[in-house]
Amino acid sequence: MGGVAGTALVAGAVSPALAQAAVPASAAASLEPFDMADVDLLDGPFLHAQRQTEAYLLRLQPDRMLHNFRVNAGLKPKAPVYGGWESEPLWDEINCHGHTLGHYLSACALAYRATRDKSYRQRVDYIAGELAACQKASGSGLVCAFPKGPALVAAHLRGEPITGVPWYTLHKVYAGLRDATLLADSAASRAVLLRLADWGVVATKPLSDAQFEEMLKTEYGGMNEVYADLWFMTGNADYKVLAQRFSQKAVLDPLVKGRDQLDGMHANTQIPKIIGFQRVAEAGGDASYHDAAAFFWKTVALTRAFATGGHGDNEHFFAMADFDKHVFSAKGSETCCQHNMLKLTRQLFLQDPSAHYADYYERTLYNGILASQDPDSGMATYFQGAQPGYMKLYHTPEDSFWCCTGTGMENHVKYRDSIYFHDDRQLYVNLFIPSALRWTRHGVVLKQMTSFPEHADTRLSWSVERPVAIALKLRHPRWSRTATVLVNGQEAATSTEPGSYVTIDRTWRNGDEVELRLAMEPLAEHAPAAPEIVAFTYGPLVLAGALGRHGLAPGADIIVNERKYGEYNNAPVAVPTLAGDPEALARSIRPAGKPLEFTIAAHDGTSVKLVPYHRIAHERYATYWKLV
């Protein structure tokens, strides 16, 4: 199972009462994000993905997600419950019923913030009103959809053996209400959230530290993060204390000491905890919480990640010495893990604006998040494994509400939240995505026009109310040997330091234009323990072998049960083999005539088509190759 630790908070919320609550970090943060409402996406693959998710959100029926919440509160449901994880007997044992509602609240809040379409705000307020009715009817702040209702939570708090992950699921509801409060300015959501939060304080107060730590052996999502957020929102010290109590010391302590003990651990059980560690640090926790988060990021992003930015096999970390035994699994790279690693990356970047965070973010955004969506239906993947000749499998619209279905609802309506960052007078451009930024404080509109990654350059046009002095910081990605910046057609700076920022500090005037020129080339990547297993990249993109639809009927990649990854459509297929030196093979890759299409010669002399992995859909593929 994987979860989401909720959406990162966004600076500049419209409500003055929530202004402080929407700041993503402590006063010591180096940078701030822009309000999503101040960034517009322009035509391109990211805007297309957003619109697919917008349409899906509006097709879903809140009353069906609310069904079990009303049942547990003694109220008559208004619509039949959805299928899959929300109702099927298998998930009665796991008890994660209700997680989808939390993700849906977050997604609708994000969609509202991004588009200002009142349809999403109306859904947020409707759900909050229904949850408030459940609280009133049950006489409790707790709202849940578990088959055993509040009894499951009570048993967990008593330390009894349970089958389920109640805090993991409740965290999604907390996070959804938080996002609805901060991003959609929903007073109704805030009222429900605070009553739920106060219930949590009272319910956990009798537990000793040892009892609390024992309880945290069961997956609990990002409860530490959300209670730290609640402290920022309210100043209530009880919330700050509970955020620290929800920070599992058995995971925290080794990380603080720089010990990587992740082998065999369930990956996405851990990542939300780490996001919470960083948030607790920002909420006044000691430096050890940040140290743990930074070390975890380094070991996962820099030593455990696949070329796509994903990691893990069958949801678990594995020893990198065994890379060759896991890399070709159909159950690699759980999409929730990529979602949450990007949340952690963004948090750390705000504190320490280093280009290596932005480089990882970009790679995982293209090859993990954008790649996870079916561009035709808007449905999302669970795993994105590298079993040669396998395919991406997507959830159904109504019967497979996986954890990655939930994070998938959020992923594609928040692309604009990490393109630009700022401090008082510095403006960071981290991603090369067609977009327009309004920096109202300085009277600036910055429009980014690019066809990246089809072409390795981007152009920025300034519209300013009056001349303004701003230090523009343009990312020089580690995949480009050089970066050249032109201002109004004249060369202004050249960088030969990949993985850095090029700074243009000047007074900008209306109509000024900046061009950033980069260079992409095919490269080979492999893990140190398996040099004969390689993936090919082009800039930040993983190139996948496009292997066609052999044996696939229409719709064969839309599935209900994510546990059967590796079983669906698994008839043996012939996959080309490659031979030779990895670097020489990378140099042999040739353009195929269309943008971002290439060919490479197979061992038998035939030609293999290579395309960006994020463009692969409805066909078999290979991202890693074992050289012969």
Side-chain angles (χ1 to χ4, degrees):
M1 180 183 296
V4 56
T7 287
L9 307 184
V10 177
V14 291
S15 168
L18 297 178
Q20 183 178 358
V23 175
S26 68
S30 297
L31 295 182
E32 295 180 28
F34 284 94
D35 189 330
M36 287 175 57
D38 289 332
V39 181
D40 294 329
L41 291 186
L42 305 179
D43 284 342
F46 292 99
L47 182 58
H48 172 79
Q50 176 181 304
R51 286 174 172 164
Q52 289 284 65
T53 294
E54 289 173 9
Y56 180 51
L57 293 175
L58 294 179
R59 290 198 302 271
L60 290 172
Q61 300 175 43
D63 281 328
R64 297 190 68 181
M65 288 178 273
L66 286 159
H67 177 105
N68 284 325
F69 288 91
R70 289 183 63 86
V71 168
N72 284 349
L75 299 173
K76 183 179 179 181
K78 296 182 178 181
V81 68
Y82 278 122
W85 284 24
E86 289 301 317
S87 63
E88 289 182 359
L90 168 64
W91 298 104
D92 290 348
E93 300 175 7
I94 305 301
N95 284 307
C96 60
H97 294 28
H99 78 109
T100 302
L101 183 76
H103 287 300
Y104 185 76
L105 273 171
S106 290
C108 285
L110 285 160
Y112 172 75
R113 199 78 192 165
T115 67
R116 293 300 170 158
D117 185 334
K118 293 180 180 179
S119 300
Y120 302 107
R121 168 66 185 274
Q122 289 166 355
R123 287 175 177 241
V124 163
D125 283 338
Y126 176 78
I127 291 170
E130 287 293 296
L131 293 178
C134 291
Q135 288 177 326
K136 181 178 180 180
S138 64
S140 169
L142 174 62
V143 285
C144 68
F146 308 126
K148 296 181 181 179
L152 175 70
V153 186
H156 195 31
L157 289 166
R158 290 193 299 268
E160 298 173 7
I162 62 166
T163 303
V165 285
W167 284 117
Y168 163 89
T169 307
L170 285 173
H171 167 254
K172 309 302 167 280
V173 180
Y174 275 90
L177 290 166
R178 175 205 60 196
D179 294 338
T181 301
L182 298 178
L183 300 176
D185 198 20
S186 171
S189 297
R190 182 185 179 95
V192 175
L193 172 62
L194 294 182
R195 191 171 181 194
L196 177 61
D198 290 340
W199 165 85
V201 170
V202 173
T204 57
K205 188 163 287 187
L207 274 64
S208 68
D209 289 345
Q211 289 170 326
F212 212 111
E213 187 74 3
E214 183 67 22
M215 182 176 69
L216 297 185
K217 291 180 179 179
T218 299
E219 186 175 11
Y220 62 90
M223 288 301 303
N224 49 352
E225 180 212 20
V226 82
Y227 267 103
D229 291 339
L230 282 159
W231 179 78
F232 275 106
M233 292 171 67
T234 66
N236 185 334
D238 288 338
Y239 298 157
K240 183 176 179 179
V241 169
L242 197 49
Q244 294 188 8
R245 297 195 82 192
F246 264 114
S247 294
Q248 188 180 10
K249 308 309 181 286
V251 173
L252 175 70
D253 292 345
L255 294 173
V256 171
K257 297 172 184 175
R259 296 177 182 170
D260 177 359
Q261 298 183 350
L262 298 177
D263 289 350
M265 296 181 74
H266 186 264
N268 207 52
T269 295
Q270 314 313 319
I271 306 172
K273 301 174 187 177
I274 313 304
I275 295 168
F277 293 165
Q278 176 60 26
R279 193 62 173 149
V280 169
E282 294 162 5
D286 63 53
S288 66
Y289 289 95
H290 166 76
D291 294 343
F295 176 76
F296 178 91
W297 184 90
K298 179 190 292 187
T299 191
V300 174
L302 303 184
T303 69
R304 291 179 174 273
F306 299 122
T308 58
H311 58 265
D313 179 12
N314 198 20
E315 303 185 359
H316 289 72
F317 292 117
F318 57 82
M320 292 306 287
D322 296 328
F323 184 83
D324 61 330
K325 298 179 179 64
H326 294 278
V327 63
F328 292 122
S329 171
K331 296 184 177 184
S333 295
E334 182 188 351
T335 308
C336 275
C337 291
Q338 297 164 316
H339 167 99
N340 278 320
M341 278 301 294
L342 290 193
K343 281 176 55 65
L344 178 61
T345 303
R346 186 175 186 268
Q347 280 183 299
L348 294 171
F349 177 80
L350 289 167
Q351 298 289 325
D352 174 20
S354 300
H356 66 279
Y357 288 127
D359 284 332
Y360 173 81
Y361 196 102
E362 176 186 56
R363 175 170 290 208
T364 308
L365 188 72
Y366 276 96
N367 303 297
I369 303 304
L370 186 62
S372 71
Q373 188 193 67
D374 177 354
D376 300 321
S377 70
M379 303 301 100
T381 58
Y382 193 103
F383 295 113
Q384 296 182 61
Q387 179 176 317
Y390 210 55
M391 76 297 297
K392 296 176 184 176
L393 302 176
Y394 305 103
H395 69 82
T396 65
E398 297 189 355
D399 293 309
S400 43
F401 287 99
W402 315 325
C403 52
C404 298
T405 307
T407 53
M409 293 178 192
E410 301 178 42
N411 283 331
H412 309 288
V413 287
K414 68 173 199 169
Y415 285 125
R416 65 193 70 203
D417 79 344
S418 294
I419 303 173
Y420 307 101
F421 298 89
H422 71 94
D423 61 14
D424 288 343
R425 64 174 307 274
Q426 294 186 109
L427 173 58
Y428 284 71
V429 180
N430 267 13
L431 297 172
F432 313 124
I433 293 177
S435 53
L437 165 69
R438 291 174 293 280
W439 197 357
T440 307
R441 174 179 174 183
H442 290 293
V444 167
V445 175
L446 187 69
K447 186 175 183 181
Q448 183 173 184
M449 296 155 287
T450 181
S451 58
F452 184 87
E454 291 188 356
H455 300 95
D457 52 30
T458 192
R459 186 161 54 93
L460 300 116
S461 176
W462 291 80
S463 297
V464 300
E465 296 173 0
R466 64 189 69 84
V468 58
I470 291 174
L472 180 67
K473 300 183 77 69
L474 303 168
R475 184 169 63 91
H476 176 184
R478 66 184 178 95
W479 46 258
S480 181
R481 295 177 187 270
T482 61
T484 302
V485 181
L486 286 71
V487 177
N488 297 329
Q490 301 296 313
E491 185 172 318
T494 298
S495 169
T496 56
E497 298 182 20
S500 66
Y501 284 90
V502 185
T503 303
I504 308 295
D505 193 344
R506 56 172 280 163
T507 298
W508 300 97
R509 291 175 168 79
N510 196 51
D512 281 347
E513 291 199 352
V514 178
E515 184 179 357
L516 174 64
R517 294 179 179 174
L518 304 168
M520 296 194 286
E521 60 183 322
L523 296 172
E525 287 200 10
H526 59 79
E532 77 285 2
I533 299 174
V534 302
F536 298 106
T537 61
Y538 184 70
L541 309 176
V542 171
L543 297 178
L547 305 181
R549 293 188 49 83
H550 176 76
L552 298 180
D557 49 2
I558 304 296
I559 68 168
V560 173
N561 188 348
E562 91 297 343
R563 300 292 155 179
K564 293 187 177 181
Y565 263 77
E567 299 176 27
Y568 287 100
N569 312 317
N570 203 29
V573 294
V575 176
T577 57
L578 306 181
D581 172 74
E583 284 68 34
L585 281 169
R587 290 192 298 270
S588 75
I589 294 173
R590 294 288 179 265
K594 295 181 180 180
L596 297 180
E597 289 192 8
F598 305 88
T599 59
I600 189 171
H603 184 44
D604 62 3
T606 59
S607 180
V608 179
K609 178 181 176 182
L610 298 176
V611 300
Y613 176 64
H614 74 266
R615 290 187 176 179
I616 289 284
H618 312 304
E619 69 173 310
R620 300 182 184 275
Y621 66 84
T623 52
Y624 273 97
W625 310 83
K626 187 169 184 177
L627 304 183
V628 298

